[in-house]
Amino acid sequence: MLMRTDPFRELDRLAQQMLGATGTWSRPTAMPMDAYRDGDQYVIVFDLPGISPEAIDIDVERNMLTVKAERRPTANAENVQMELSERPLGVFSRQLVLADTLDTEHIQADYDAGVLTLRIPVAERAKPRKISITSSGDRKQISG
């Protein structure tokens, strides 16, 4: 139900991790995610530790889901001397093309302990359904 749009995005993400590159608004870093189906809904889980809910932006335009978040340095004071900085900073983003069978009007978003969870229900028209068969037992055979 989810389709990737750029086959080279994962290679770019790995290269950025190895080089320690910081994401910008024009070239954000990819965020790790999991996606799975749970009954009649798809669940997408993003790791966003240390990011406040106000710094997360979720948009859906047609079938394109975009999640952006920004992590800023916690120590900004002039007298602070950074001894070690391993946590990635900057802008993180992920775009997913959602299938037409998902109901993008009813997406639920929850954020807890640095994990953003989106729940997207399967559209009613895409759910399996039974088709009833009518009998035409009223027909009479004519013999000649």
Side-chain angles (χ1 to χ4, degrees), residues 27-101:
R27 188 154 174 84
T29 302
M31 62 186 80
M33 64 168 257
D34 291 334
Y36 57 90
R37 185 170 178 162
D38 182 11
D40 285 340
Q41 63 183 351
Y42 270 85
V43 180
I44 307 171
V45 182
F46 298 92
D47 281 346
L48 298 170
I51 296 177
S52 69
E54 296 81 29
I56 301 171
D57 188 30
I58 305 168
D59 290 316
V60 176
E61 185 175 337
R62 295 189 182 191
N63 287 358
M64 179 67 73
L65 172 73
T66 304
V67 178
K68 277 193 174 185
E70 183 176 11
R71 182 184 301 129
R72 296 183 176 164
T74 54
N76 286 8
E78 293 178 20
N79 59 351
V80 173
Q81 180 180 343
M82 186 62 77
E83 297 292 331
L84 180 64
S85 180
E86 294 180 346
R87 297 172 57 214
L89 300 174
V91 179
F92 303 87
S93 179
R94 199 69 183 252
Q95 281 191 318
L96 300 169
V97 177
L98 303 177
D100 290 335
T101 57

Side-chain angles (χ1 to χ4, degrees), residues 101-136:
T101 57
L102 297 178
D103 184 358
T104 58
E105 297 292 323
H106 295 97
I107 296 176
Q108 295 177 340
D110 297 306
Y111 187 68
D112 185 41
V115 177
L116 174 65
T117 303
L118 301 180
R119 297 181 186 283
I120 309 169
V122 174
E124 287 297 320
R125 68 181 185 281
K127 292 180 182 176
R129 59 193 179 280
K130 293 284 185 185
I131 306 297
S132 62
I133 302 171
T134 58
S135 175
S136 58

